[in-house]
Amino acid sequence: MALLNIVSLPKYIDEIGMSELFKSFDIIALNETRLDLSISDGEVKIYGYDLIRKDRSRKGGGVCIFLRSSINYQNRSDLVPNDLEGVCLEIFKPNSKPFVIASIYRPPNCSSDFFLLILRA
């Protein structure tokens, strides 16, 4: 798994999609994607990966996870408090117990109780 603060996914999607380094990861989490409804999944698609995203605006914030398409998962948005921008996935691998991964971004206007929200989730 790789995590990167991208500061605008549309700006770097071609570079990420062609990077041999990124292709070595099954899971790529990106923060500050700066996506909104005006950007379709197809515009930021990476071949061989599913895209799960939580947008805020083109001016800041947002998170997403690119997950290799062969991985079985369930989106667990029920585990992310409404105040936070986050994607939470339950991963199912053969011969293994399911496990959860998350990419969470604390928006600047989020209360100082940020860590308490995570502990309650």
Side-chain angles (χ1 to χ4, degrees):
M1 180 173 176
L3 171 64
L4 181 65
N5 187 320
I6 194 75
V7 189
S8 185
L9 178 57
K11 185 175 177 180
Y12 297 104
I13 191 61
D14 290 337
E15 185 177 338
I16 291 170
M18 294 184 327
S19 169
E20 291 302 318
L21 174 64
F22 281 101
K23 291 178 184 174
S24 65
F25 292 101
D26 290 334
I27 302 168
I28 305 166
L30 302 174
N31 290 353
E32 284 216 52
T33 56
R34 296 188 178 179
L35 298 176
D36 63 15
L37 292 175
S38 70
I39 306 290
S40 71
D41 286 355
E43 292 176 77
V44 290
K45 174 84 175 134
I46 297 177
Y47 179 78
Y49 290 83
D50 291 346
L51 171 62
I52 304 89
R53 62 193 244 193
K54 173 73 176 198
D55 301 343
R56 185 188 343 157
S57 75
R58 301 282 297 133
K59 295 182 181 182
V63 298
C64 76
I65 295 178
F66 285 97
L67 184 74
R68 197 167 301 277
S69 298
S70 60
I71 296 175
N72 189 13
Y73 71 94
Q74 178 181 356
N75 190 343
R76 294 297 308 270
S77 57
D78 59 306
L79 297 177
V80 181
N82 291 334
D83 312 30
L84 301 177
E85 295 168 17
V87 173
C88 188
L89 304 176
E90 188 170 6
I91 308 294
F92 303 96
K93 306 254 325 169
N95 305 314
S96 176
K97 290 184 178 181
F99 59 94
V100 174
I101 62 163
S103 180
I104 297 175
Y105 179 79
R106 185 190 67 83
N109 63 348
C110 184
S111 78
S112 60
D113 295 336
F114 167 72
F115 292 106
L116 294 174
L117 292 171
I118 295 293
L119 293 174
R120 282 188 241 140

